[in-house]
Amino acid sequence: MELRPFSGTYLTDPAAIWRDLLDGPERVHYADDLGLWLITKHADVRNALGDSEAFSNALTLLPIYEMCPEALAIVMEIDAPPTTAAADAPTHTRTRRALRATFPNTSARVNEQYGAIVRRRVDELVSRLVARRGTVVDLVSEFAAELPLLVIVDLLGVPPEDVPAIKSWSDGQIALIWGQPEPEEQVRLARGLLDFWRYCQKMVTLRAQEGGGGEDFISKALRYRAGDDEILTENEVASFAFNLLVAGHETTSGLIAHGLDNALSVPTRWERLVENPAGVPAFVEETLRFGPAIDGWLRLTTRDVTFGETTIPAGSRCLLLLGAANRDAATFSHPDVFDPNRADVRDHLAFGYGPHFCIGAALARLEAQVALTELTAAVPGLRLAPEHITSFKPNVGFRAHNALPVFVETFAQ
Ligand code: HEM
């Protein structure tokens, strides 16, 4: 039977399709509409994430659909060397080691090195929101999409005047790779992506010419030395910047928007967080499980891989459906219930698993936790604007809200 999950209601209600796939008789599924194998079960997704010999990351940052030749030709001009997310061993082993050495990735180190920056940016955005009390504001464009972008540009030392361009290039990259824009739009977005890459190269060259002595991530990466001769080339540092400027904000924006939506769209949830902000970290964690900002992630099989009765041939593209795995009843009790008190939440795969596990997980958690905590304190009466209908950007990988209009109220209801 033909399976075309991405041609139907997937964008509006992926959970219903995940449920059908998880409960159906097949262990893995072939989606005809994108020519992808779908892996949904928690144990299978985790094993695939953990097995980078059989499941390569080589295609991870390439478009998920067949791009028009003109756009593809432009994308092929981007000569960014593969680093972490787009690399396999041994390149991945080396670049990940360098990233771990230059980018804090435990809660303690993130808090110590980046906590003040995150809190300052949250304070600025919350104050701006409070100043708009009594009005309707879009929490996506005015808060969730802003915070992680401002934090990641601070960490990389990007000049403030370039932030709007970064935002537009980065949104364009997500739409180009994981959406399926019309050919004309593909060409426009591909040109933007090439400009973005050239921008990152120039920024890194400039930083190197200035001596690279700063405390920003780019300067630290340029100074990186390990063993006798392990360094990062300027192009590799530019490739890190190219990836981090997107990975560091589109994902976390999604997490914050999903967290706020989860909190505001069901009666009493927000009020409970206002009364007990200590519950925010658990709420954020359940948000990661329930509706991850990244629903699916691509792998390429390097050999035949068998799941039960089905063999996926070598050279196949597989979409690991992280969203579905997080709803697998074999791992999570009552998986379709949003329960911030669940004991099994830590098994979610929202940040991946194994050798490519998200480097930014601790930063993303910190940003979302500080954001929700500060908002419950400053605008306890926040509520969704009446008649709001939730909708998402057309994208099979990143689940991003189009908007989240809220009425800003500083008094608790
Ligand atoms: C990897 C999700 C935030 C940087 C990953 C992977 C996932 C993920 C699923 C695994 C990819 C794979 O297995 O190939 C998320 C989510 C986030 C988030 C849901 C927020 C809610 C961040 C942030 C940063 C970041 C804030 C950096 C500032 C990276 C990098 C990798 C990665 C560099 C590649 C690691 C590697 O391949 O070794 N992320 N991420 N992410 N993430 Fe995140």
Side-chain angles (χ1 to χ4, degrees), residues 70-106:
E70 201 184 341
L72 192 62
I74 299 169
V75 168
M76 287 304 150
E77 281 185 56
I78 300 172
D79 50 358
T83 49
T84 55
D88 295 320
T91 302
H92 176 257
T93 321
R94 179 178 59 80
T95 53
R96 185 166 171 109
R97 188 165 48 231
L99 193 54
R100 282 176 62 91
T102 45
F103 193 91
N105 48 73
T106 61

PDB file of all heavy atoms in Angstrom, residues 70-106:
ATOM      1  N   GLU A  70      18.530  24.281 -10.751  1.00  0.00           N
ATOM      2  CA  GLU A  70      19.167  25.599 -10.586  1.00  0.00           C
ATOM      3  C   GLU A  70      19.517  25.856  -9.116  1.00  0.00           C
ATOM      4  O   GLU A  70      20.612  26.325  -8.794  1.00  0.00           O
ATOM      5  CB  GLU A  70      18.203  26.673 -11.108  1.00  0.00           C
ATOM      6  CG  GLU A  70      18.909  27.951 -11.468  1.00  0.00           C
ATOM      7  CD  GLU A  70      17.920  29.031 -11.901  1.00  0.00           C
ATOM      8  OE1 GLU A  70      16.781  28.709 -12.266  1.00  0.00           O
ATOM      9  OE2 GLU A  70      18.319  30.209 -11.823  1.00  0.00           O
ATOM     10  N   ALA A  71      18.588  25.505  -8.216  1.00  0.00           N
ATOM     11  CA  ALA A  71      18.848  25.708  -6.779  1.00  0.00           C
ATOM     12  C   ALA A  71      19.966  24.766  -6.322  1.00  0.00           C
ATOM     13  O   ALA A  71      20.861  25.157  -5.558  1.00  0.00           O
ATOM     14  CB  ALA A  71      17.569  25.459  -5.979  1.00  0.00           C
ATOM     15  N   LEU A  72      19.913  23.537  -6.832  1.00  0.00           N
ATOM     16  CA  LEU A  72      20.922  22.552  -6.424  1.00  0.00           C
ATOM     17  C   LEU A  72      22.325  23.020  -6.821  1.00  0.00           C
ATOM     18  O   LEU A  72      23.283  22.902  -6.049  1.00  0.00           O
ATOM     19  CB  LEU A  72      20.600  21.194  -7.057  1.00  0.00           C
ATOM     20  CG  LEU A  72      21.382  20.019  -6.497  1.00  0.00           C
ATOM     21  CD1 LEU A  72      21.084  19.826  -5.016  1.00  0.00           C
ATOM     22  CD2 LEU A  72      21.038  18.738  -7.259  1.00  0.00           C
ATOM     23  N   ALA A  73      22.422  23.604  -8.030  1.00  0.00           N
ATOM     24  CA  ALA A  73      23.730  24.072  -8.500  1.00  0.00           C
ATOM     25  C   ALA A  73      24.269  25.148  -7.552  1.00  0.00           C
ATOM     26  O   ALA A  73      25.470  25.179  -7.247  1.00  0.00           O
ATOM     27  CB  ALA A  73      23.592  24.628  -9.912  1.00  0.00           C
ATOM     28  N   ILE A  74      23.390  25.996  -7.041  1.00  0.00           N
ATOM     29  CA  ILE A  74      23.843  27.056  -6.112  1.00  0.00           C
ATOM     30  C   ILE A  74      24.283  26.418  -4.789  1.00  0.00           C
ATOM     31  O   ILE A  74      25.332  26.743  -4.241  1.00  0.00           O
ATOM     32  CB  ILE A  74      22.718  28.089  -5.873  1.00  0.00           C
ATOM     33  CG1 ILE A  74      22.331  28.745  -7.191  1.00  0.00           C
ATOM     34  CG2 ILE A  74      23.133  29.130  -4.848  1.00  0.00           C
ATOM     35  CD1 ILE A  74      21.067  29.590  -7.138  1.00  0.00           C
ATOM     36  N   VAL A  75      23.463  25.455  -4.296  1.00  0.00           N
ATOM     37  CA  VAL A  75      23.800  24.801  -3.019  1.00  0.00           C
ATOM     38  C   VAL A  75      25.163  24.094  -3.134  1.00  0.00           C
ATOM     39  O   VAL A  75      25.962  24.102  -2.194  1.00  0.00           O
ATOM     40  CB  VAL A  75      22.681  23.805  -2.616  1.00  0.00           C
ATOM     41  CG1 VAL A  75      23.123  22.918  -1.467  1.00  0.00           C
ATOM     42  CG2 VAL A  75      21.417  24.566  -2.232  1.00  0.00           C
ATOM     43  N   MET A  76      25.439  23.544  -4.319  1.00  0.00           N
ATOM     44  CA  MET A  76      26.702  22.809  -4.496  1.00  0.00           C
ATOM     45  C   MET A  76      27.929  23.729  -4.453  1.00  0.00           C
ATOM     46  O   MET A  76      29.051  23.281  -4.279  1.00  0.00           O
ATOM     47  CB  MET A  76      26.682  22.021  -5.822  1.00  0.00           C
ATOM     48  CG  MET A  76      25.776  20.817  -5.771  1.00  0.00           C
ATOM     49  SD  MET A  76      26.275  19.753  -4.394  1.00  0.00           S
ATOM     50  CE  MET A  76      24.771  18.999  -3.924  1.00  0.00           C
ATOM     51  N   GLU A  77      27.699  25.044  -4.616  1.00  0.00           N
ATOM     52  CA  GLU A  77      28.820  25.999  -4.509  1.00  0.00           C
ATOM     53  C   GLU A  77      29.261  26.187  -3.058  1.00  0.00           C
ATOM     54  O   GLU A  77      30.308  26.760  -2.784  1.00  0.00           O
ATOM     55  CB  GLU A  77      28.401  27.360  -5.061  1.00  0.00           C
ATOM     56  CG  GLU A  77      28.422  27.451  -6.566  1.00  0.00           C
ATOM     57  CD  GLU A  77      28.102  28.871  -7.014  1.00  0.00           C
ATOM     58  OE1 GLU A  77      28.791  29.808  -6.586  1.00  0.00           O
ATOM     59  OE2 GLU A  77      27.117  29.016  -7.755  1.00  0.00           O
ATOM     60  N   ILE A  78      28.399  25.747  -2.126  1.00  0.00           N
ATOM     61  CA  ILE A  78      28.731  25.928  -0.700  1.00  0.00           C
ATOM     62  C   ILE A  78      29.759  24.871  -0.327  1.00  0.00           C
ATOM     63  O   ILE A  78      29.435  23.686  -0.224  1.00  0.00           O
ATOM     64  CB  ILE A  78      27.458  25.806   0.166  1.00  0.00           C
ATOM     65  CG1 ILE A  78      26.459  26.871  -0.254  1.00  0.00           C
ATOM     66  CG2 ILE A  78      27.790  25.892   1.657  1.00  0.00           C
ATOM     67  CD1 ILE A  78      25.102  26.740   0.397  1.00  0.00           C
ATOM     68  N   ASP A  79      30.998  25.322  -0.168  1.00  0.00           N
ATOM     69  CA  ASP A  79      32.062  24.347   0.061  1.00  0.00           C
ATOM     70  C   ASP A  79      32.422  24.246   1.548  1.00  0.00           C
ATOM     71  O   ASP A  79      33.582  24.124   1.910  1.00  0.00           O
ATOM     72  CB  ASP A  79      33.292  24.699  -0.784  1.00  0.00           C
ATOM     73  CG  ASP A  79      33.680  26.164  -0.626  1.00  0.00           C
ATOM     74  OD1 ASP A  79      32.968  26.890   0.111  1.00  0.00           O
ATOM     75  OD2 ASP A  79      34.686  26.588  -1.215  1.00  0.00           O
ATOM     76  N   ALA A  80      31.390  24.296   2.400  1.00  0.00           N
ATOM     77  CA  ALA A  80      31.631  24.186   3.851  1.00  0.00           C
ATOM     78  C   ALA A  80      32.098  22.763   4.171  1.00  0.00           C
ATOM     79  O   ALA A  80      31.415  21.813   3.800  1.00  0.00           O
ATOM     80  CB  ALA A  80      30.345  24.486   4.613  1.00  0.00           C
ATOM     81  N   PRO A  81      33.244  22.624   4.815  1.00  0.00           N
ATOM     82  CA  PRO A  81      33.667  21.259   5.151  1.00  0.00           C
ATOM     83  C   PRO A  81      32.712  20.647   6.173  1.00  0.00           C
ATOM     84  O   PRO A  81      32.208  21.356   7.048  1.00  0.00           O
ATOM     85  CB  PRO A  81      35.055  21.462   5.768  1.00  0.00           C
ATOM     86  CG  PRO A  81      35.108  22.882   6.168  1.00  0.00           C
ATOM     87  CD  PRO A  81      34.157  23.644   5.301  1.00  0.00           C
ATOM     88  N   PRO A  82      32.425  19.344   6.055  1.00  0.00           N
ATOM     89  CA  PRO A  82      31.518  18.738   7.031  1.00  0.00           C
ATOM     90  C   PRO A  82      32.123  18.782   8.433  1.00  0.00           C
ATOM     91  O   PRO A  82      33.294  18.451   8.613  1.00  0.00           O
ATOM     92  CB  PRO A  82      31.367  17.295   6.566  1.00  0.00           C
ATOM     93  CG  PRO A  82      32.260  17.115   5.403  1.00  0.00           C
ATOM     94  CD  PRO A  82      32.933  18.399   5.079  1.00  0.00           C
ATOM     95  N   THR A  83      31.338  19.260   9.382  1.00  0.00           N
ATOM     96  CA  THR A  83      31.754  19.202  10.790  1.00  0.00           C
ATOM     97  C   THR A  83      30.585  18.580  11.546  1.00  0.00           C
ATOM     98  O   THR A  83      29.486  18.480  11.002  1.00  0.00           O
ATOM     99  CB  THR A  83      32.046  20.619  11.337  1.00  0.00           C
ATOM    100  OG1 THR A  83      30.965  21.454  11.005  1.00  0.00           O
ATOM    101  CG2 THR A  83      33.334  21.184  10.782  1.00  0.00           C
ATOM    102  N   THR A  84      30.800  18.189  12.765  1.00  0.00           N
ATOM    103  CA  THR A  84      29.834  17.461  13.621  1.00  0.00           C
ATOM    104  C   THR A  84      28.571  16.946  12.926  1.00  0.00           C
ATOM    105  O   THR A  84      28.543  15.827  12.445  1.00  0.00           O
ATOM    106  CB  THR A  84      29.469  18.274  14.873  1.00  0.00           C
ATOM    107  OG1 THR A  84      28.998  19.538  14.512  1.00  0.00           O
ATOM    108  CG2 THR A  84      30.666  18.421  15.794  1.00  0.00           C
ATOM    109  N   ALA A  85      27.503  17.766  12.852  1.00  0.00           N
ATOM    110  CA  ALA A  85      26.187  17.256  12.437  1.00  0.00           C
ATOM    111  C   ALA A  85      26.206  16.606  11.059  1.00  0.00           C
ATOM    112  O   ALA A  85      25.424  15.688  10.792  1.00  0.00           O
ATOM    113  CB  ALA A  85      25.167  18.385  12.458  1.00  0.00           C
ATOM    114  N   ALA A  86      27.091  17.073  10.166  1.00  0.00           N
ATOM    115  CA  ALA A  86      27.081  16.548   8.800  1.00  0.00           C
ATOM    116  C   ALA A  86      28.249  15.601   8.539  1.00  0.00           C
ATOM    117  O   ALA A  86      28.519  15.253   7.395  1.00  0.00           O
ATOM    118  CB  ALA A  86      27.130  17.704   7.817  1.00  0.00           C
ATOM    119  N   ALA A  87      28.958  15.184   9.588  1.00  0.00           N
ATOM    120  CA  ALA A  87      30.175  14.383   9.381  1.00  0.00           C
ATOM    121  C   ALA A  87      30.060  13.007  10.029  1.00  0.00           C
ATOM    122  O   ALA A  87      29.311  12.812  10.984  1.00  0.00           O
ATOM    123  CB  ALA A  87      31.374  15.127   9.966  1.00  0.00           C
ATOM    124  N   ASP A  88      30.803  12.062   9.486  1.00  0.00           N
ATOM    125  CA  ASP A  88      30.962  10.733  10.099  1.00  0.00           C
ATOM    126  C   ASP A  88      32.394  10.621  10.617  1.00  0.00           C
ATOM    127  O   ASP A  88      33.257  11.445  10.273  1.00  0.00           O
ATOM    128  CB  ASP A  88      30.721   9.653   9.033  1.00  0.00           C
ATOM    129  CG  ASP A  88      29.277   9.663   8.524  1.00  0.00           C
ATOM    130  OD1 ASP A  88      28.372   9.856   9.359  1.00  0.00           O
ATOM    131  OD2 ASP A  88      29.069   9.483   7.312  1.00  0.00           O
ATOM    132  N   ALA A  89      32.648   9.560  11.395  1.00  0.00           N
ATOM    133  CA  ALA A  89      34.019   9.307  11.860  1.00  0.00           C
ATOM    134  C   ALA A  89      34.916   9.061  10.635  1.00  0.00           C
ATOM    135  O   ALA A  89      34.426   8.558   9.630  1.00  0.00           O
ATOM    136  CB  ALA A  89      34.025   8.080  12.771  1.00  0.00           C
ATOM    137  N   PRO A  90      36.189   9.431  10.635  1.00  0.00           N
ATOM    138  CA  PRO A  90      36.895  10.033  11.773  1.00  0.00           C
ATOM    139  C   PRO A  90      36.746  11.563  11.860  1.00  0.00           C
ATOM    140  O   PRO A  90      37.069  12.140  12.879  1.00  0.00           O
ATOM    141  CB  PRO A  90      38.355   9.660  11.492  1.00  0.00           C
ATOM    142  CG  PRO A  90      38.437   9.599   9.998  1.00  0.00           C
ATOM    143  CD  PRO A  90      37.105   9.104   9.508  1.00  0.00           C
ATOM    144  N   THR A  91      36.216  12.199  10.773  1.00  0.00           N
ATOM    145  CA  THR A  91      36.095  13.667  10.847  1.00  0.00           C
ATOM    146  C   THR A  91      35.211  14.067  12.024  1.00  0.00           C
ATOM    147  O   THR A  91      35.531  14.986  12.786  1.00  0.00           O
ATOM    148  CB  THR A  91      35.489  14.217   9.524  1.00  0.00           C
ATOM    149  OG1 THR A  91      36.347  13.818   8.463  1.00  0.00           O
ATOM    150  CG2 THR A  91      35.369  15.717   9.552  1.00  0.00           C
ATOM    151  N   HIS A  92      34.084  13.335  12.194  1.00  0.00           N
ATOM    152  CA  HIS A  92      33.171  13.685  13.273  1.00  0.00           C
ATOM    153  C   HIS A  92      33.853  13.597  14.635  1.00  0.00           C
ATOM    154  O   HIS A  92      33.690  14.478  15.486  1.00  0.00           O
ATOM    155  CB  HIS A  92      31.922  12.788  13.247  1.00  0.00           C
ATOM    156  CG  HIS A  92      31.017  13.055  14.398  1.00  0.00           C
ATOM    157  ND1 HIS A  92      30.928  12.234  15.498  1.00  0.00           N
ATOM    158  CD2 HIS A  92      30.188  14.101  14.666  1.00  0.00           C
ATOM    159  CE1 HIS A  92      30.083  12.753  16.373  1.00  0.00           C
ATOM    160  NE2 HIS A  92      29.623  13.869  15.884  1.00  0.00           N
ATOM    161  N   THR A  93      34.646  12.554  14.825  1.00  0.00           N
ATOM    162  CA  THR A  93      35.307  12.357  16.123  1.00  0.00           C
ATOM    163  C   THR A  93      36.191  13.564  16.447  1.00  0.00           C
ATOM    164  O   THR A  93      36.190  14.091  17.560  1.00  0.00           O
ATOM    165  CB  THR A  93      36.173  11.077  16.080  1.00  0.00           C
ATOM    166  OG1 THR A  93      35.457  10.088  15.343  1.00  0.00           O
ATOM    167  CG2 THR A  93      36.521  10.569  17.452  1.00  0.00           C
ATOM    168  N   ARG A  94      36.923  14.014  15.435  1.00  0.00           N
ATOM    169  CA  ARG A  94      37.854  15.125  15.649  1.00  0.00           C
ATOM    170  C   ARG A  94      37.104  16.461  15.836  1.00  0.00           C
ATOM    171  O   ARG A  94      37.385  17.208  16.774  1.00  0.00           O
ATOM    172  CB  ARG A  94      38.797  15.224  14.435  1.00  0.00           C
ATOM    173  CG  ARG A  94      39.804  16.362  14.517  1.00  0.00           C
ATOM    174  CD  ARG A  94      40.743  16.370  13.314  1.00  0.00           C
ATOM    175  NE  ARG A  94      40.062  16.507  12.040  1.00  0.00           N
ATOM    176  CZ  ARG A  94      39.625  17.668  11.540  1.00  0.00           C
ATOM    177  NH1 ARG A  94      39.807  18.789  12.205  1.00  0.00           N
ATOM    178  NH2 ARG A  94      39.011  17.704  10.368  1.00  0.00           N
ATOM    179  N   THR A  95      36.116  16.731  14.978  1.00  0.00           N
ATOM    180  CA  THR A  95      35.444  18.036  15.071  1.00  0.00           C
ATOM    181  C   THR A  95      34.575  18.103  16.331  1.00  0.00           C
ATOM    182  O   THR A  95      34.447  19.144  16.962  1.00  0.00           O
ATOM    183  CB  THR A  95      34.604  18.342  13.812  1.00  0.00           C
ATOM    184  OG1 THR A  95      33.715  17.255  13.558  1.00  0.00           O
ATOM    185  CG2 THR A  95      35.481  18.569  12.602  1.00  0.00           C
ATOM    186  N   ARG A  96      33.990  16.965  16.709  1.00  0.00           N
ATOM    187  CA  ARG A  96      33.174  16.965  17.938  1.00  0.00           C
ATOM    188  C   ARG A  96      34.072  17.195  19.157  1.00  0.00           C
ATOM    189  O   ARG A  96      33.710  17.907  20.087  1.00  0.00           O
ATOM    190  CB  ARG A  96      32.398  15.661  18.074  1.00  0.00           C
ATOM    191  CG  ARG A  96      31.473  15.719  19.276  1.00  0.00           C
ATOM    192  CD  ARG A  96      30.444  14.634  19.282  1.00  0.00           C
ATOM    193  NE  ARG A  96      29.757  14.617  20.540  1.00  0.00           N
ATOM    194  CZ  ARG A  96      28.488  14.987  20.733  1.00  0.00           C
ATOM    195  NH1 ARG A  96      27.771  15.409  19.734  1.00  0.00           N
ATOM    196  NH2 ARG A  96      27.946  14.945  21.933  1.00  0.00           N
ATOM    197  N   ARG A  97      35.274  16.581  19.133  1.00  0.00           N
ATOM    198  CA  ARG A  97      36.206  16.803  20.245  1.00  0.00           C
ATOM    199  C   ARG A  97      36.514  18.302  20.359  1.00  0.00           C
ATOM    200  O   ARG A  97      36.520  18.878  21.440  1.00  0.00           O
ATOM    201  CB  ARG A  97      37.487  15.996  19.976  1.00  0.00           C
ATOM    202  CG  ARG A  97      38.468  15.976  21.112  1.00  0.00           C
ATOM    203  CD  ARG A  97      39.521  14.892  20.967  1.00  0.00           C
ATOM    204  NE  ARG A  97      40.133  14.833  19.660  1.00  0.00           N
ATOM    205  CZ  ARG A  97      40.256  13.716  18.921  1.00  0.00           C
ATOM    206  NH1 ARG A  97      39.819  12.561  19.382  1.00  0.00           N
ATOM    207  NH2 ARG A  97      40.825  13.747  17.734  1.00  0.00           N
ATOM    208  N   ALA A  98      36.736  18.923  19.207  1.00  0.00           N
ATOM    209  CA  ALA A  98      37.058  20.360  19.213  1.00  0.00           C
ATOM    210  C   ALA A  98      35.865  21.180  19.709  1.00  0.00           C
ATOM    211  O   ALA A  98      36.019  22.135  20.481  1.00  0.00           O
ATOM    212  CB  ALA A  98      37.443  20.805  17.804  1.00  0.00           C
ATOM    213  N   LEU A  99      34.663  20.788  19.281  1.00  0.00           N
ATOM    214  CA  LEU A  99      33.478  21.544  19.708  1.00  0.00           C
ATOM    215  C   LEU A  99      33.251  21.379  21.211  1.00  0.00           C
ATOM    216  O   LEU A  99      32.948  22.350  21.918  1.00  0.00           O
ATOM    217  CB  LEU A  99      32.255  21.061  18.907  1.00  0.00           C
ATOM    218  CG  LEU A  99      31.009  21.938  18.986  1.00  0.00           C
ATOM    219  CD1 LEU A  99      31.315  23.385  18.613  1.00  0.00           C
ATOM    220  CD2 LEU A  99      29.909  21.405  18.072  1.00  0.00           C
ATOM    221  N   ARG A 100      33.449  20.173  21.690  1.00  0.00           N
ATOM    222  CA  ARG A 100      33.267  19.944  23.136  1.00  0.00           C
ATOM    223  C   ARG A 100      34.274  20.757  23.949  1.00  0.00           C
ATOM    224  O   ARG A 100      33.999  21.174  25.069  1.00  0.00           O
ATOM    225  CB  ARG A 100      33.418  18.452  23.459  1.00  0.00           C
ATOM    226  CG  ARG A 100      32.179  17.637  23.106  1.00  0.00           C
ATOM    227  CD  ARG A 100      32.444  16.172  23.363  1.00  0.00           C
ATOM    228  NE  ARG A 100      32.715  15.919  24.767  1.00  0.00           N
ATOM    229  CZ  ARG A 100      31.803  15.614  25.665  1.00  0.00           C
ATOM    230  NH1 ARG A 100      30.547  15.488  25.303  1.00  0.00           N
ATOM    231  NH2 ARG A 100      32.115  15.399  26.921  1.00  0.00           N
ATOM    232  N   ALA A 101      35.464  20.964  23.375  1.00  0.00           N
ATOM    233  CA  ALA A 101      36.495  21.703  24.109  1.00  0.00           C
ATOM    234  C   ALA A 101      36.236  23.209  24.085  1.00  0.00           C
ATOM    235  O   ALA A 101      36.733  23.940  24.937  1.00  0.00           O
ATOM    236  CB  ALA A 101      37.858  21.401  23.503  1.00  0.00           C
ATOM    237  N   THR A 102      35.463  23.685  23.102  1.00  0.00           N
ATOM    238  CA  THR A 102      35.317  25.127  22.946  1.00  0.00           C
ATOM    239  C   THR A 102      33.903  25.629  23.261  1.00  0.00           C
ATOM    240  O   THR A 102      33.688  26.826  23.420  1.00  0.00           O
ATOM    241  CB  THR A 102      35.661  25.544  21.488  1.00  0.00           C
ATOM    242  OG1 THR A 102      35.031  24.627  20.588  1.00  0.00           O
ATOM    243  CG2 THR A 102      37.144  25.521  21.241  1.00  0.00           C
ATOM    244  N   PHE A 103      32.947  24.716  23.333  1.00  0.00           N
ATOM    245  CA  PHE A 103      31.551  25.115  23.566  1.00  0.00           C
ATOM    246  C   PHE A 103      31.035  24.368  24.794  1.00  0.00           C
ATOM    247  O   PHE A 103      30.956  23.139  24.776  1.00  0.00           O
ATOM    248  CB  PHE A 103      30.710  24.732  22.334  1.00  0.00           C
ATOM    249  CG  PHE A 103      29.356  25.360  22.324  1.00  0.00           C
ATOM    250  CD1 PHE A 103      29.154  26.586  21.711  1.00  0.00           C
ATOM    251  CD2 PHE A 103      28.274  24.748  22.934  1.00  0.00           C
ATOM    252  CE1 PHE A 103      27.908  27.185  21.707  1.00  0.00           C
ATOM    253  CE2 PHE A 103      27.027  25.339  22.931  1.00  0.00           C
ATOM    254  CZ  PHE A 103      26.844  26.565  22.313  1.00  0.00           C
ATOM    255  N   PRO A 104      30.708  25.082  25.888  1.00  0.00           N
ATOM    256  CA  PRO A 104      30.290  24.375  27.104  1.00  0.00           C
ATOM    257  C   PRO A 104      29.041  23.531  26.866  1.00  0.00           C
ATOM    258  O   PRO A 104      28.112  23.981  26.194  1.00  0.00           O
ATOM    259  CB  PRO A 104      29.991  25.498  28.087  1.00  0.00           C
ATOM    260  CG  PRO A 104      29.980  26.745  27.325  1.00  0.00           C
ATOM    261  CD  PRO A 104      30.671  26.527  26.023  1.00  0.00           C
ATOM    262  N   ASN A 105      29.064  22.315  27.374  1.00  0.00           N
ATOM    263  CA  ASN A 105      27.921  21.445  27.075  1.00  0.00           C
ATOM    264  C   ASN A 105      27.428  20.665  28.282  1.00  0.00           C
ATOM    265  O   ASN A 105      26.709  19.688  28.126  1.00  0.00           O
ATOM    266  CB  ASN A 105      28.268  20.497  25.920  1.00  0.00           C
ATOM    267  CG  ASN A 105      29.597  19.831  26.140  1.00  0.00           C
ATOM    268  OD1 ASN A 105      29.712  18.961  26.967  1.00  0.00           O
ATOM    269  ND2 ASN A 105      30.617  20.277  25.426  1.00  0.00           N
ATOM    270  N   THR A 106      27.795  21.083  29.484  1.00  0.00           N
ATOM    271  CA  THR A 106      27.138  20.508  30.662  1.00  0.00           C
ATOM    272  C   THR A 106      26.377  21.646  31.330  1.00  0.00           C
ATOM    273  O   THR A 106      26.728  22.824  31.143  1.00  0.00           O
ATOM    274  CB  THR A 106      28.153  19.960  31.679  1.00  0.00           C
ATOM    275  OG1 THR A 106      28.964  21.070  32.104  1.00  0.00           O
ATOM    276  CG2 THR A 106      29.047  18.892  31.075  1.00  0.00           C
TER     277      THR A 106
END
